[in-house]
Amino acid sequence: MDPSYLKDLLWRGREVEFDYGANRYTIKLVDYRSSTEYAFGRKWGNKITSDYFDDILYRRDYGASLSEMLKEVSSSSIYIY
């Protein structure tokens, strides 16, 4: 999945999940009254958050970065809600 397409989906209020390895990951844009944050992490676990999409895209909190995961994941393993 192209990162710019993912960012566009998030800004339109969509949540994206994908399977990578033995885990399911989720990424979404959380809208607070005074700010918005990107949240990324394992579906049933702690999430990393940031005000900046690129920060989430290139962090390596889960071994591989989100950017690397998106390059490797099959389109049949991506779920958009």
Side-chain angles (χ1 to χ4, degrees):
M1 173 181 277
D2 183 72
S4 61
Y5 178 60
L6 173 61
K7 187 175 182 180
D8 182 56
L9 286 171
L10 298 175
W11 273 103
R12 288 190 283 147
R14 309 301 290 269
E15 182 176 341
V16 177
E17 293 182 1
F18 61 92
D19 296 326
Y20 182 80
N23 295 302
R24 177 160 291 187
Y25 291 88
T26 182
I27 183 166
K28 60 185 172 181
L29 188 65
V30 181
D31 191 16
Y32 299 109
R33 282 192 321 186
S34 60
S35 68
T36 57
E37 286 185 338
Y38 295 94
F40 169 65
R42 292 187 178 109
K43 181 163 177 121
W44 298 280
N46 294 332
K47 311 284 187 283
I48 56 173
T49 60
S50 177
D51 295 339
Y52 303 101
F53 181 72
D54 286 347
D55 186 36
I56 293 292
L57 192 61
Y58 298 111
R59 283 178 66 171
R60 295 182 168 273
D61 291 51
Y62 301 102
S65 68
L66 173 59
S67 175
E68 294 167 338
M69 291 179 186
L70 291 174
K71 288 177 187 173
E72 295 178 23
V73 73
S74 166
S75 60
S76 64
S77 298
I78 298 174
Y79 310 96
I80 302 170
Y81 301 104

